[in-house]
Amino acid sequence: MKKNLILVLNCGSSSLKFSLINPNSGETVLSGLAERLLSEQASIKIKYQGQVIQGVLPSPYDHQYAIARLVEVLVLHELNLEIFAVGHRVVHGGENYCTPTLITQDVKSIIRDLSQLAPLHNPANVIGITAAETVFPDLPQVAIFDTAFHQSMPEKAYLYGIPYALYKDHGIRRYGFHGTSHYFVAQQAAKLLNKPSNETSFISAHLGNGCSICVIKNGESVDTSLGLTPLEGVMMGTRSGDVDPGIIFHLVNQLGYSVEQVSHLLNKESGLLGVSGLSNDCREIEDAWTKNRNPRAKLALDVFCYRIAKSIASFSASLTSLDALIFTGGIGENSMLIRENIVNQLSLLNFTISKEKNETCRFGQAGNINSDNSRHIFVIPTNEEWVIAEQTAQLLLQHTANKE
Ligand code: ADP
């Protein structure tokens, strides 16, 4: 049997997303999600050939168990025989990694050490890698880093205006995230323009639960809105994005918050949820405004869109030309209202929206949504899993070629 599939694993602190992908065609053969891991409600859902296999995970409810359950299904359908490598999404690669990397014990310990920069994510990624090594000891494991695409940012973009020693001695700088997504949509946008990607310039807005803007010049990231952690930049589902750092001192010194409470407030209770007081889910907030005229829902949408428009406009400082604005992520791919609100604030950059095209490009439909006399605006569904599969396969091909 031909081994032509990559198993892609994206391991979060309490979840595991997985897909079995043909890296050449991009076809997803099987996909699924294990949620609420490490709790008694741990469950797994696997989609294969139009069917959904659901199950409750027994104790110890962990990632290892979820992967073992996935392997049972793979073995049942003999799909395990077709897998030639495992590609892992790893959130933080620090300054150590700017390309896909074959995972060795040394690489794994560096990923573990980088946990100090991504305490919620990298430890989970290491758990996923260890679990995959246990069940697939003979398969190569490859790490694709979320920060890697942004390693091309110049110093002026990644340094903060704080003492330089904090960067040199402690790595405090901007790293950016969502790199795989921004890379993918920029490649797709270059294809839509029929231009080589190294001759294009884009501003990409990945708007999901997490949100980031990225400037891509000649195929490389030159700036992005997320920073040392995924808290900087535009407002998100529950994350505040940029705030005056003085707010933190005010909360601690005047209002008696502990550091943990401030962290919780800015990461989990802010953003769309914090402003609306309703939900972090954009659809629910849109419904609360369009169906019930809830004023706080409208306010949350307005703050969200204005901050994104302002960020996009400010990033024009990194460019001398601009081919297109790209929308992606759950909100960017689907929400007509958010796209229209943002674009309406960008007329100075010569962006205007076509209402008809904006209605068409939703639910997986890619295309342009600009009016005839506007600069290009593309909606492009992201596909991070495919990039992980593709880059994993390419790296292994190179390794084989180097050995021969
Ligand atoms: P994640 O960052 O967790 O991967 P997604 O990219 O899936 O998140 O985006 C989730 C967000 O997309 C949610 O706020 C959800 O409400 C929003 N979303 C999904 N579909 C729509 C839609 N049709 N209209 C508006 N928002 C949508």
Side-chain angles (χ1 to χ4, degrees), residues 17 178 206-210 272 280-284 286 329-331 334-335 362-363:
K17 283 189 198 156
H178 291 150
H206 177 112
L207 311 178
N209 279 317
L272 287 171
N280 66 321
D281 189 288
C282 189
R283 270 167 301 198
E284 284 183 32
E286 285 191 20
I331 299 173
N334 296 300
S335 173
R362 302 178 75 197
F363 313 124

Side-chain angles (χ1 to χ4, degrees), residues 67-84:
I67 292 184
R69 178 74 190 110
L70 165 65
V71 171
E72 277 173 28
V73 175
L74 294 175
V75 169
L76 183 70
H77 300 285
E78 296 190 350
L79 292 167
N80 56 320
L81 305 175
E82 296 182 52
I83 303 174
F84 72 99

Side-chain angles (χ1 to χ4, degrees), residues 253-270:
N253 296 331
Q254 309 299 325
L255 301 181
Y257 278 63
S258 68
V259 171
E260 287 70 30
Q261 284 170 327
V262 175
S263 170
H264 196 264
L265 178 98
L266 296 179
N267 279 294
K268 305 271 186 212
E269 298 171 61
S270 297

Side-chain angles (χ1 to χ4, degrees), residues 95-387:
E95 290 188 326
N96 305 65
Y97 299 109
C98 58
T99 50
T101 303
L102 194 62
I103 300 174
T104 60
Q105 288 313 306
D106 284 349
V107 171
K108 213 166 112 180
S109 69
I110 293 173
I111 295 173
R112 195 177 287 119
D113 291 347
L114 287 166
S115 294
Q116 48 170 311
L117 292 175
L120 297 178
H121 297 99
N122 274 33
N125 298 152
V126 173
I127 290 171
I129 293 167
T130 307
E133 283 170 343
T134 311
V135 288
F136 301 111
D138 299 327
L139 293 185
Q141 315 270 334
V142 173
I144 310 293
F145 297 92
D146 231 24
T147 48
F149 182 55
H150 303 299
Q151 278 297 299
S152 47
M153 284 195 287
E155 270 180 321
K156 70 173 179 185
Y158 71 67
L159 283 180
Y160 289 108
I162 57 175
Y164 190 69
L166 287 170
Y167 163 57
K168 272 299 175 211
D169 300 342
H170 302 285
I172 298 183
R173 51 157 282 180
R174 311 184 57 258
Y175 291 95
F177 301 88
H178 291 150
T180 313
S181 174
H182 290 300
Y183 163 80
F184 176 77
V185 296
Q187 294 287 319
Q188 299 301 310
K191 284 184 195 156
L192 288 175
L193 290 173
N194 214 4
K195 276 174 125 179
S197 75
N198 61 5
E199 290 174 18
T200 53
S201 294
F202 300 115
I203 297 181
S204 152
H206 177 112
L207 311 178
N209 279 317
C211 301
S212 71
I213 315 297
C214 179
V215 195
I216 303 138
K217 189 175 180 178
N218 303 333
E220 293 188 335
S221 168
V222 292
D223 205 351
T224 191
S225 60
L226 293 173
L228 173 76
T229 72
L231 188 54
E232 193 183 341
V234 296
M235 177 172 139
M236 311 179 212
T238 60
R239 286 178 245 158
S240 61
D242 291 340
V243 293
D244 174 357
I247 291 178
I248 296 169
F249 312 124
H250 188 85
L251 289 170
V252 172
N253 296 331
Q254 309 299 325
L255 301 181
Y257 278 63
S258 68
V259 171
E260 287 70 30
Q261 284 170 327
V262 175
S263 170
H264 196 264
L265 178 98
L266 296 179
N267 279 294
K268 305 271 186 212
E269 298 171 61
S270 297
L272 287 171
L273 171 66
V275 180
S276 70
L278 296 169
S279 167
N280 66 321
D281 189 288
C282 189
R283 270 167 301 198
E284 284 183 32
I285 300 177
E286 285 191 20
D287 282 352
W289 168 239
T290 53
K291 295 184 183 149
N292 302 326
R293 292 287 161 210
N294 181 313
R296 284 268 297 281
K298 166 91 167 87
L299 185 63
L301 295 171
D302 282 349
V303 178
F304 182 72
C305 293
Y306 176 58
R307 287 184 159 252
I308 291 167
K310 228 172 32 159
S311 174
I312 291 169
S314 74
F315 278 132
S316 66
S318 321
L319 295 171
T320 48
S321 66
L322 175 57
D323 289 300
L325 170 64
I326 307 168
F327 284 107
T328 192
I331 299 173
E333 290 166 27
N334 296 300
S335 173
M336 296 185 295
L337 195 119
I338 297 280
R339 294 189 304 227
E340 185 177 356
N341 188 332
I342 294 170
V343 173
N344 283 348
Q345 300 177 74
L346 294 171
S347 56
L348 267 184
L349 289 178
N350 194 18
F351 287 117
T352 49
I353 206 157
S354 152
K355 271 194 181 293
E356 297 72 43
K357 291 182 191 165
N358 193 27
E359 277 172 28
T360 314
C361 290
R362 302 178 75 197
F363 313 124
Q365 176 66 48
N368 79 68
I369 57 168
N370 51 279
S371 64
D372 290 345
N373 51 1
S374 159
R375 220 187 273 276
H376 292 289
I377 309 170
F378 294 132
V379 172
I380 301 180
T382 196
N383 196 338
E384 293 164 275
E385 287 75 19
W386 184 9
V387 178

Side-chain angles (χ1 to χ4, degrees), residues 5-10 16-22 26-35 43-55 66 69-71 73-74 77 79 83 383-386:
L5 299 178
I6 302 279
L7 178 63
V8 175
L9 296 183
N10 178 355
L16 171 74
K17 283 189 198 156
F18 45 85
S19 329
L20 197 55
I21 293 184
N22 181 326
E27 183 203 357
T28 301
V29 175
L30 172 149
S31 64
L33 170 69
E35 289 181 289
S43 66
I44 188 164
K45 195 190 266 188
I46 303 177
K47 278 194 226 161
Y48 177 58
Q49 291 189 332
Q51 296 214 319
V52 179
I53 305 156
Q54 305 227 39
R69 178 74 190 110
L70 165 65
V71 171
V73 175
L74 294 175
H77 300 285
L79 292 167
I83 303 174
N383 196 338
E384 293 164 275
E385 287 75 19
W386 184 9

